[in-house]
Amino acid sequence: MFTKWRIFAVNHQRTFSVHLNTMCYCKITANLKRLKTQLPLTRNYSSAPGIVGSDVKSLHSIINPPVAKIRNIGIMAHIDAGKTTTTERILYYSGYTRSLGDVDDGDTVTDFMAQERERGITIQSAAVTLDWKGYRVNLIDTPGHVDFTVEVERCLRVLDGAVAVFDASAGVEAQTLTVWRQADKHKIPRICFLNKMDKTGASFNYAVESIREKLKAKPLILQLPIGEARTFQGVVDVVNKEKLVWNSNSDDGKDFERMPLSEASDRELLKETIEARNSLIEQVADLDDEFADLVLGEFSENFDLVPAEKLQAAVHRVTLAQAAVPVLCGSALKNKGVQPLLDAVTTYLPSPEEREDRFLQWYEGDLCALAFKVLHDKQRGPLVFLRIYSGTLTPQLAVHNINRHCTERMSRLLLPFADQHVEIPSLTAGNIALTVGLKQTATGDTIVSSKSSALAAARRAGRGEREHGKKREAESLLLAGVEVPEPVFFCTIEPPSVAKQPDLDHALERLQREDPSLKVKLDPDSGQTVLCGMGELHIEIIHDRIKREYGLETYLGPLQVAYRETILNSVRATDTLDRVLGDKRHLVSAELEVRPAEEPCAVAKIEYADCVGEDLLQASREAIESAVHSACLQGPLLGSPVQDVAMTLHSLVIHPGTSTTMVTACISRCMQKALKKADKQVLEPLMSLEVTVSREYLSPVLADLAQRRGNIQEIQTRQDNRVVIGFVPLAEIMGYSTVLRTLTSGSATFALELSTYQAMSPQDQSALLSQRSGLARGL
């Protein structure tokens, strides 16, 4: 039946057909130039009925395993904690790659973009499908750099569990806190993997304590390291009281021994393990009532007799409830501790059916999927990653996009394997799929089987939510997407010639579909195209991708900071618009007041005086709100967005027959008049900064930050290093990585994250305005 499979390679723009007589598939890692019609395969999956054997599975079980056997997980961490290396080891040990990829060598599976391999960082999240001991694992490797936080956000939205990777010598770092908060927001159960236990300065106890103190989490120690730094040999399984020691002569880490701890040869280790196990049992009993009853009832006198299976089941429940986090350790680079990590993923993290998605009940088994990522392939067009929440996907299926109000037909259905994909005949709920043919769908869109299915679900949701008094929540449940933060950097981008402008517009349109955090707008004064991004690296990567993928040599203007504006006092303004268009008179008169908002708000708060008639408001409310928001897009000082303001409409007189467009124009003009009359204030983005530096370079780093208007909050000690934590204006930190490398001979690292917008001092604001108006000399 399904005797022909297609394996696709995105990076090579060619499609290869592979005939598999035994109906099997695997990851192809051989040089693509040598690919012929037959390939050596490491797995033997067959669909022939009646065949029994441990290595032979039915085709249906490969494509659509039982939901209880599926794990949708992400790997998240601070930059350089070892996420991609851990992912490579997972792929290798699960049998999907034949050689160990290395970030430094630029041959990893999940970092397949040219920029990722050159820089040794993850930029896009890559999805990988693999099997481990009868479980289907959909694994996503996410970026750790703050400029690509949205990549993490959109992937966490569709995951059921996560592995948080830590550098054992550093513990919790700046970006670790960010991704941890994102996981908290989406209520994702997670386990912790203390990586780099072989690294100089690695400390298991320090890393565990940092999880407890900085993340406010309760660590459940399931493993203990055997040695640290150079003496690291393996790990102790606390639950089963066994030690796992890797063969020092083994190149790939597949060869390791699992041995019970004995009193004779491992007295100290056994004593430490028993203490850790008893402590673990007490911790879990405090968090899980079912396990507490079992322990107090049958094993109150001797915790050693608590069965490992019962303890594992209790840890699973506690992890699922997000009451605590299991902690494991190892060294991905040295190939130690990854197999037990995979076991922990299947044992402790939830399956799709164990996660609560309330909105699924409204679909009653109909198709419901969320598009969480879009890629563009030169031959096949848009490739859309979908998380299937209910129902079944098949090729040639027509689906309805709720967000775009359109129906599209997908031509192919693929299992994602980083930059290579396997075509499949169907995929059921709980899986992550890759579809070809959805040309309108963008990140965050909800996909259903038909428009009627969406309407039926909305009706059921409306009934259910009205009973709970939450009618509006039904809409957010049906259309849940990805929150995108506002950009903090912008610069102009110019094509090499006017003739290439349509090509640039086409490239930017595609890149925006792939990356929701990239904003593109047109400057109304100069007519230039403006790129808005999350940071210097983000814009640099976009510029590089336009050159590599679309063949356009574009020119970037100087990077500029995305300032905001606000007002300091309350001001009233009136305006009248009187126009005759054709034979119709349009007359609008308005009086409004603008004032500083009581609480910070990105969008202007709109209120109406009692004297404004309700009938008038019903007809004009949308026009009024549109006018206020458009007036706040460009402030009177710098043309930057206005925030933290409130507006009260005191009077509105509309002549009969006046169009809503005229109402919008009048209110907008009146609002701009009021903003110009008020005392104005520029707000600049304030970044949270964390610099990790050795003690001998601490003084020059602090002196440099003082010159950059930095505000140091505290200086922590992390092993032999110092961690400087503080705030610094974004305008002062551009190009900081080069300066820091120079000051510290390349030994220091830093992490940045947008904290808030703060008011500039009068001197700094005056200097900025002078610079913008071209009055400053030598700038």
Side-chain angles (χ1 to χ4, degrees):
M1 183 179 171
F2 305 112
T3 56
K4 187 173 181 179
W5 294 71
R6 294 186 183 92
I7 298 179
F8 297 93
V10 167
N11 271 7
H12 298 270
Q13 293 90 43
R14 291 171 61 192
T15 304
F16 301 91
S17 295
V18 183
H19 296 270
L20 309 179
N21 295 327
T22 54
M23 294 192 176
C24 49
Y25 71 94
C26 75
K27 163 76 172 74
I28 299 175
T29 55
N31 190 326
L32 288 166
K33 292 179 181 176
R34 301 191 195 120
L35 186 64
K36 302 298 180 184
T37 54
Q38 188 63 43
L39 294 164
L41 298 168
T42 57
R43 300 201 169 206
N44 184 25
Y45 297 146
S46 174
S47 62
I51 297 177
V52 179
S54 59
D55 292 332
V56 180
K57 304 178 183 179
S58 72
L59 185 62
H60 182 77
S61 72
I62 297 310
I63 298 170
N64 292 307
V67 178
K69 294 287 187 179
I70 297 174
R71 297 290 182 271
N72 292 314
I73 67 162
I75 297 199
M76 60 184 203
H78 184 85
I79 190 169
D80 283 341
K83 298 178 300 298
T84 300
T85 304
T86 303
T87 305
E88 287 299 315
R89 300 307 182 261
I90 287 173
L91 293 176
Y92 180 70
Y93 297 132
S94 62
Y96 279 79
T97 55
R98 299 170 187 276
S99 61
L100 290 167
D102 194 293
V103 174
D104 296 330
D105 294 339
D107 60 355
T108 57
V109 171
T110 51
D111 282 357
F112 57 84
M113 285 172 58
Q115 294 92 334
E116 293 176 313
R117 293 186 166 179
E118 286 175 5
R119 298 166 188 266
I121 62 170
T122 302
I123 294 168
Q124 290 191 339
S125 46
V128 179
T129 297
L130 57 96
D131 287 347
W132 180 256
K133 296 184 178 178
Y135 286 85
R136 163 62 47 81
V137 180
N138 295 313
L139 178 68
I140 295 181
D141 178 27
T142 61
H145 198 285
V146 68
D147 284 14
F148 308 105
T149 301
V150 173
E151 279 286 330
V152 183
E153 176 83 20
R154 62 175 155 189
C155 291
L156 289 178
R157 174 67 186 81
V158 298
L159 297 178
D160 299 317
V163 177
V165 179
F166 298 80
D167 182 336
S169 66
V172 174
E173 299 174 87
Q175 190 66 6
T176 317
L177 283 163
T178 302
V179 294
W180 196 270
R181 283 196 298 266
Q182 288 175 309
D184 282 340
K185 184 171 79 174
H186 293 290
K187 297 182 171 60
I188 293 177
R190 64 217 83 149
I191 59 180
C192 299
F193 180 61
L194 306 184
N195 192 26
K196 302 190 179 184
M197 283 302 304
D198 62 311
K199 184 179 175 181
T200 303
S203 170
F204 181 81
N205 292 333
Y206 170 80
V208 170
E209 197 58 35
S210 73
I211 292 171
R212 184 180 286 112
E213 288 184 6
K214 294 184 179 179
L215 300 179
K216 308 303 180 190
K218 295 179 180 176
L220 302 177
I221 297 174
L222 304 186
Q223 289 180 350
L224 294 171
I226 302 175
E228 288 180 348
R230 290 184 179 180
T231 62
F232 180 65
Q233 297 174 305
V235 299
V236 173
D237 183 342
V238 173
V239 175
N240 293 296
K241 291 187 289 188
E242 295 175 334
K243 66 177 180 180
L244 286 72
V245 180
W246 275 259
N247 187 342
S248 58
N249 297 321
S250 173
D251 292 332
D252 60 4
K254 281 189 174 180
D255 185 13
F256 69 94
E257 288 184 272
R258 181 185 284 270
M259 298 171 287
L261 291 170
S262 65
E263 184 75 35
S265 59
D266 310 298
R267 179 174 296 179
E268 287 300 318
L269 201 55
L270 180 60
K271 181 183 176 184
E272 190 181 347
T273 303
I274 290 173
E275 289 177 1
R277 192 174 193 267
N278 291 344
S279 175
L280 175 65
I281 289 170
E282 289 173 6
Q283 270 186 288
V284 175
D286 285 342
L287 299 169
D288 185 78
D289 292 339
E290 183 183 334
F291 185 67
D293 293 340
L294 175 75
V295 171
L296 295 174
E298 298 180 37
F299 308 104
S300 56
E301 295 183 5
N302 190 353
F303 284 177
D304 283 351
L305 300 177
V306 175
E309 299 78 24
K310 297 288 186 183
L311 180 53
Q312 286 175 334
V315 172
H316 174 77
R317 291 193 296 272
V318 168
T319 306
L320 187 59
Q322 297 159 65
V325 287
V327 176
L328 299 94
C329 61
S331 170
L333 187 63
K334 299 296 183 183
N335 312 316
K336 294 173 182 175
V338 178
Q339 296 96 325
L341 174 63
L342 268 170
D343 291 336
V345 165
T346 58
T347 305
Y348 302 119
L349 290 181
S351 67
E353 61 186 2
E354 290 176 301
R355 294 274 288 154
E356 288 186 11
D357 279 306
R358 286 177 52 206
F359 69 95
L360 289 187
Q361 59 185 307
W362 315 131
Y363 284 96
E364 296 184 347
D366 282 349
L367 175 66
C368 175
L370 185 74
F372 67 95
K373 186 175 176 63
V374 178
L375 294 174
H376 281 89
D377 179 69
K378 287 185 179 177
Q379 285 193 337
R380 288 171 287 168
L383 305 175
V384 180
F385 284 84
L386 295 177
R387 162 68 195 269
I388 310 171
Y389 286 100
S390 66
T392 302
L393 274 181
T394 55
Q396 304 303 321
L397 180 69
V399 294
H400 180 71
N401 186 324
I402 296 180
N403 300 62
R404 310 279 158 183
H405 305 291
C406 66
T407 299
E408 298 186 271
R409 185 178 298 276
M410 67 177 73
S411 56
R412 290 180 182 143
L413 189 62
L414 313 169
L415 269 184
F417 193 88
D419 62 340
Q420 302 189 10
H421 310 118
V422 180
E423 190 166 342
I424 52 174
S426 69
L427 209 58
T428 53
N431 282 290
I432 288 176
L434 185 59
T435 61
V436 180
L438 301 181
K439 292 182 170 55
Q440 303 297 321
T441 303
T443 299
D445 289 356
T446 304
I447 303 297
V448 296
S449 56
S450 64
K451 189 174 182 178
S452 58
S453 170
L455 291 173
R459 280 195 298 270
R460 288 190 286 266
R463 284 199 302 270
E465 295 297 339
R466 269 197 299 273
E467 292 169 9
H468 296 88
K470 297 179 185 176
K471 188 172 186 297
R472 285 187 64 84
E473 193 177 331
E475 298 172 17
S476 63
L477 288 172
L478 288 165
L479 305 174
V482 178
E483 290 183 20
V484 180
E486 285 298 311
V488 292
F489 272 114
F490 66 92
C491 69
T492 58
I493 182 168
E494 295 287 344
S497 65
V498 177
K500 294 288 185 181
Q501 184 67 48
D503 295 338
L504 177 60
D505 293 341
H506 174 67
L508 291 174
E509 182 186 347
R510 284 189 162 192
L511 288 169
Q512 281 185 93
R513 280 189 66 196
E514 294 183 21
D515 182 1
S517 64
L518 172 68
K519 300 284 196 311
V520 179
K521 61 183 183 181
L522 200 65
D523 189 308
D525 298 326
S526 65
Q528 290 178 300
T529 304
V530 180
L531 279 186
C532 307
M534 304 306 297
E536 290 180 87
L537 181 61
H538 186 201
I539 288 179
E540 190 182 330
I541 293 292
I542 294 296
H543 182 227
D544 196 32
R545 287 190 65 189
I546 292 172
K547 178 182 176 181
R548 289 176 191 257
E549 298 173 23
Y550 299 95
L552 290 173
E553 282 280 0
T554 53
Y555 306 103
L556 291 183
L559 274 178
Q560 298 187 54
V561 175
Y563 291 100
R564 297 283 188 271
E565 298 179 30
T566 191
I567 58 173
L568 301 175
N569 61 332
S570 178
V571 172
R572 279 200 183 211
T574 59
D575 194 64
T576 301
L577 189 147
D578 192 354
R579 295 277 189 279
V580 177
L581 298 177
D583 57 351
K584 187 180 287 188
R585 185 184 184 194
H586 299 267
L587 175 62
V588 188
S589 180
E591 181 182 357
L592 55 81
E593 178 189 13
V594 291
R595 64 186 184 281
E598 294 177 3
E599 296 179 355
C601 54
V603 178
K605 188 178 178 183
I606 302 172
E607 297 173 352
Y608 302 96
D610 295 335
C611 58
V612 180
E614 188 64 34
D615 294 341
L616 194 63
L617 280 180
Q618 281 186 346
S620 309
R621 189 185 298 269
E622 192 174 324
I624 294 167
E625 291 180 357
S626 172
V628 172
H629 293 153
S630 65
C632 290
L633 288 177
Q634 286 192 306
L637 281 176
L638 298 170
S640 300
V642 178
Q643 66 177 41
D644 303 339
V645 297
M647 185 281 286
T648 302
L649 184 64
H650 288 285
S651 168
L652 180 65
V653 179
I654 303 176
H655 187 272
T658 301
S659 71
T660 55
T661 306
M662 293 298 176
V663 176
T664 301
C666 179
I667 299 287
S668 180
R669 199 166 72 178
C670 190
M671 184 81 180
Q672 287 171 343
K673 207 183 270 189
L675 290 173
K676 283 180 182 176
K677 285 169 65 177
D679 294 335
K680 296 167 280 293
Q681 172 71 56
V682 176
L683 305 174
E684 64 177 344
L686 187 69
M687 307 301 285
S688 170
L689 174 71
E690 182 179 295
V691 183
T692 305
V693 60
S694 56
R695 190 166 48 187
E696 61 265 32
Y697 294 117
L698 180 61
S699 294
V701 167
L702 290 176
D704 179 68
L705 286 175
Q707 291 180 343
R708 295 173 183 272
R709 296 191 282 139
N711 180 11
I712 308 302
Q713 299 294 301
E714 62 175 318
I715 300 174
Q716 299 176 349
T717 300
R718 180 183 292 165
Q719 308 294 342
D720 296 330
N721 293 327
R722 299 292 181 266
V723 181
V724 180
I725 297 173
F727 299 100
V728 64
L730 178 60
E732 304 290 343
I733 212 73
M734 284 199 279
Y736 184 61
S737 56
T738 306
V739 174
L740 187 65
R741 275 198 299 269
T742 306
L743 285 174
T744 63
S745 301
S747 63
T749 60
F750 77 101
L752 275 176
E753 186 179 3
L754 179 64
S755 173
T756 185
Y757 275 84
Q758 73 166 9
M760 295 184 77
S761 68
Q763 297 88 349
D764 293 330
Q765 179 169 319
S766 176
L768 174 67
L769 293 174
S770 298
Q771 180 186 342
R772 286 293 182 94
S773 16
L775 298 177
R777 300 294 180 196
L779 290 176

